[in-house]
Amino acid sequence: MHTTALIDEIRAQVRTWRARGETVAFVPTMGNLHAGHIHLVNEARKRADHVVASIFVNPMQFGKNEDLDAYPRTLADDQAALTAAGCELLFTPTPEIIYPKGLDAQTFVEVPGISDVLCGASRPGHFRGVATIVLKLFNIVQPDVALFGRKDFQQLLVIRTMVEDLSLPLEIVGIDTVREASGLAMSSRNGYLTADEKQRAAALKRALDQLASDIQAGMAVTDACNKANDSLRQAGFTPDYMEVRSARTLAEATDADRELVVLAAAQLGKARLIDNLCFNR
Ligand code: PAF
């Protein structure tokens, strides 16, 4: 696998592949790769002739008091894992390459509405940062298909909306969340958990499962959410949100909606964990 921080090198390699009529799949990441990322690379290999990944801890998507500096950077391990998974090209730009004018002078992409709720309400500017970097990366790599984990359900919908609104010529594929045996969704931020917290963190997925089955059994949404939040508090979490929404639009669920998603964010120790579960009513 070739690793480069240079935009021109990425473009030259992709141009060579394209000239031969070959296709490119792209897996953007912030590094500190786990089994969920490698699953994305494996799925990417099934969908195109070549796989390109990126590792960039994007400062634009972190709030001022968030974990930008603490975010784990493990490039050598990530390179080994990507190579073993069959990724051929890795883009590792610096913030100066991506944002040469600095963050404040940078053109940005705002996906209205869907960026302002849930994680967007708790983390103002987060999805502007995500949409901006993802569009930049798409313009640099010019993939035929890009793959994202469904754990970041809202992020996936923001990116799908941007791609549709801006008529970008690529396919977005959402890939199912990879979980630990306990049910805990794989996340780089799980590394912030102590051994004890990691055991208790499994309560998040249990709360989502319980909430979905309570709603399917006819419990009112507010009561089911309150019950789920109580179970999280008992496990030591500080819940941020627990909401049932339309799985298609993330609009507040109405009685007419059949395809629903329950989304949760909660703090446990130093880690802000998010997870979600799609279900039918
Ligand atoms: O999901 C992530 O790791 C990041 O939000 C992404 C999509 C790589 C953009 O920085």
Side-chain angles (χ1 to χ4, degrees):
M1 180 183 70
H2 180 60
T3 300
T4 179
L6 302 179
I7 293 173
D8 286 350
E9 272 193 41
I10 297 289
R11 288 207 164 119
Q13 178 59 77
V14 171
R15 244 194 328 265
T16 304
W17 287 331
R18 289 214 172 287
R20 301 202 295 245
E22 294 162 355
T23 54
V24 175
F26 179 44
V27 180
T29 81
M30 297 205 302
N32 193 235
L33 305 183
H34 49 67
H37 293 112
I38 299 310
H39 184 47
L40 294 179
V41 174
N42 290 335
E43 290 298 314
R45 277 193 6 250
K46 295 180 193 164
R47 291 170 166 84
D49 299 312
H50 303 281
V51 178
V52 180
S54 62
I55 294 179
F56 179 62
V57 183
N58 173 33
M60 199 191 272
Q61 70 188 74
F62 286 78
K64 282 204 170 39
N65 299 318
E66 293 184 357
D67 56 342
L68 174 63
D69 294 335
Y71 200 86
R73 284 138 169 109
T74 51
L75 182 60
D77 287 351
D78 294 347
Q79 284 174 307
L82 288 169
T83 304
C87 176
E88 286 167 79
L89 183 60
L90 174 62
F91 183 42
T92 54
T94 60
E96 293 72 29
I97 287 175
I98 293 293
Y99 302 121
K101 292 185 284 187
L103 289 185
D104 292 340
Q106 165 73 40
T107 301
F108 57 81
V109 183
E110 189 93 53
V111 181
I114 197 169
S115 296
D116 302 327
V117 297
L118 303 167
C119 278
S122 307
R123 306 180 67 190
H126 171 66
F127 287 116
R128 171 194 289 187
V130 170
T132 302
I133 188 61
V134 169
L135 181 60
K136 276 198 80 133
L137 292 169
F138 285 172
N139 283 333
I140 292 164
V141 176
Q142 305 209 350
D144 300 279
V145 54
L147 295 90
F148 296 86
R150 288 209 178 98
K151 182 182 80 73
D152 297 300
F153 192 84
Q154 185 175 10
Q155 167 173 285
L156 179 61
L157 287 198
V158 167
I159 292 165
R160 281 194 195 286
T161 306
M162 174 183 77
V163 164
E164 197 181 315
D165 288 356
L166 300 181
S167 306
L168 302 183
L170 81 162
E171 183 193 355
I172 301 298
V173 176
I175 299 293
D176 282 347
T177 304
V178 177
R179 296 180 182 279
E180 309 255 1
S182 68
L184 175 64
M186 298 266 182
S187 164
S188 300
R189 289 190 168 102
N190 292 352
Y192 298 152
L193 299 170
T194 63
D196 171 58
E197 285 164 351
K198 199 158 179 199
Q199 276 193 336
R200 283 186 286 127
L204 184 54
K205 173 65 164 50
R206 283 199 300 273
L208 296 178
D209 287 337
Q210 183 63 50
L211 196 155
S213 67
D214 283 346
I215 288 175
Q216 282 166 333
M219 191 186 275
V221 169
T222 317
D223 294 341
C225 288
N226 287 340
K227 181 177 160 194
N229 275 327
D230 284 346
S231 69
L232 285 186
R233 280 191 204 95
Q234 270 165 27
F237 280 90
T238 306
D240 175 0
Y241 62 77
M242 170 77 68
E243 294 200 27
V244 180
R245 301 248 169 175
S246 152
R248 285 167 182 254
T249 61
L250 279 195
E252 305 225 352
T254 66
D255 287 348
D257 282 316
R258 291 286 157 262
E259 290 172 47
L260 300 175
V261 56
V262 51
L263 306 107
Q267 191 78 29
L268 184 62
K270 290 198 185 117
R272 182 178 187 276
L273 302 181
I274 61 171
D275 203 348
N276 66 82
L277 182 72
C278 290
F279 64 102
N280 290 324
R281 175 158 58 182

